[in-house]
Amino acid sequence: MRSDALPNPQSRIPNSGPIRFDVVSLFPEFIARAADVGVVGRARERGLVTLQAWNPRDYAEGNYRRVDDRPFGGGPGMVMLIDPLRATLAAARAADPAPARVIYMSPQGQRLTQARVRELAALPRLILLCGRYEGVDERLLQAEVDEELSIGDYVLSGGELAAAVVLDAVARLQDGALGDAESAVQDSFEGDGLLDCPHYTRPVSHALGQVPEVLLSGNHAEIAKWRRQQALVRTLERRPDLIDESTLGKADRRLLADWRSANGADPGGTPAA
Ligand code: 4FV
């Protein structure tokens, strides 16, 4: 990892955007398409997010414009060469005076979380390096990359999907990216890291079931309590790793106790004694 890496995001004053993305990829059209639609596409139209894709093949020497070669030490697959990537990163850096944090998407990276997304969303620029083949020559990573991020413990055929995940998750947190109908506030993992509550819309009655009465009551305090209770129970049932009951406040413990007595069960655990 680069020693003179950009200061870690925590130290930066959050800026409400715009944020510039430069994506280094052998398939620049992939990222361009992913960033053309939905919230990201609209954030770009609103000038909250700018994106430029860079193809290392455009910076590769020789008639064959090689970007990869066989791994030293043998073994399957190919490894991405240093120089085409180095030249591409130099061009991307030079494309804008703002300092950029260079992130390599790889299974060896720290797992991406909403908390990390929030920190990255406060930066002015991100350069996302997408690997292909077996990966990238380690010397390039040591010299040019500030941080490695993983979107999960599985192996993709390329880093582009992971880069598109970072682009989407960061873009939607830019001020003004989400309309008031869509807010990031109630997102899963936002606030205190709970999973989201269930959502319902029309029709009230359907062959698949009814909308919970409380949501039709107009009693916003009761609705908020129900949603909080649902988020607590779901998180305990589905992601107990995200919640430590001993740290819950009195109100949350009350909601869980009510749920347990009402359902004669223990979320995620054995039926209540
Ligand atoms: C990946 C992940 C990922 C590994 C070899 C690209 C592939 C290939 N990136 N989170 N999981 N990358 O599987 O970010 O070069």
Side-chain angles (χ1 to χ4, degrees):
M1 225 52 66
R2 273 161 32 99
S3 56
D4 61 342
L6 190 74
N8 206 318
Q10 281 97 347
S11 59
R12 276 194 62 79
I13 311 301
N15 73 62
S16 60
I19 188 167
R20 177 184 168 124
F21 285 89
D22 292 279
V23 179
V24 175
S25 164
L26 290 171
F27 302 100
E29 68 283 0
F30 181 104
I31 289 290
R33 283 296 304 110
D36 259 353
V37 297
V39 168
V40 180
R42 191 178 58 202
R44 292 176 66 199
E45 282 153 18
R46 292 178 176 173
L48 305 171
V49 169
T50 59
L51 168 69
Q52 184 162 354
W54 306 77
N55 188 338
R57 205 171 290 283
D58 300 339
Y59 296 83
E61 304 298 328
N63 325 356
Y64 303 101
R65 301 200 299 157
R66 291 195 73 110
V67 294
D68 65 318
D69 206 332
R70 284 177 291 103
F72 279 121
M78 302 292 268
V79 175
M80 295 184 82
L81 291 163
I82 294 173
D83 288 338
L85 291 175
R86 202 151 189 235
T88 309
L89 286 166
R93 285 180 204 283
D96 189 298
R101 189 166 183 80
V102 178
I103 299 178
Y104 174 53
M105 310 310 301
S106 96
Q108 287 73 45
Q110 288 298 308
R111 176 68 72 77
L112 183 66
T113 63
Q114 189 65 14
R116 191 74 187 126
V117 166
R118 266 200 308 276
E119 291 166 354
L120 296 173
L123 292 179
R125 281 190 77 184
L126 294 176
I127 296 180
L128 305 180
L129 174 57
C130 304
R132 280 272 156 176
Y133 317 110
E134 299 310 306
V136 171
D137 189 298
E138 186 63 19
R139 294 164 291 182
L140 182 278
L141 301 178
Q142 293 303 322
E144 297 279 353
V145 166
D146 298 317
E147 175 176 359
E148 287 196 30
L149 280 178
S150 170
I151 61 168
D153 298 341
Y154 39 79
V155 181
L156 304 167
S157 58
E160 285 75 13
L161 280 168
V165 166
V166 173
L167 177 61
D168 187 288
V170 167
R172 63 189 295 283
L173 292 188
Q174 299 304 305
D175 291 354
L178 292 179
D180 51 15
E182 314 141 298
S183 100
V185 177
Q186 278 150 11
D187 277 351
S188 295
F189 314 112
E190 274 304 343
D192 43 22
L194 295 181
L195 298 184
D196 205 357
C197 62
H199 299 290
Y200 297 83
T201 186
R202 289 181 301 105
V204 169
S205 309
H206 187 281
L208 295 184
Q210 307 302 311
V211 172
E213 278 305 313
V214 62
L215 298 178
L216 309 170
S217 68
N219 178 333
H220 296 297
E222 281 307 309
I223 290 168
K225 271 176 61 178
W226 180 87
R227 285 177 168 162
R228 180 77 182 173
Q229 185 183 56
Q230 290 292 315
L232 288 163
V233 167
R234 267 179 166 207
T235 307
L236 274 171
E237 282 176 345
R238 302 180 186 194
R239 294 290 307 278
D241 58 299
L242 290 174
I243 185 169
D244 173 355
E245 249 190 281
S246 65
T247 64
L248 289 178
K250 192 161 169 299
D252 284 342
R253 287 203 303 279
R254 172 81 267 132
L255 288 172
L256 279 177
D258 295 350
W259 191 88
R260 285 176 172 129
S261 50
N263 294 273
D266 188 9
T270 51

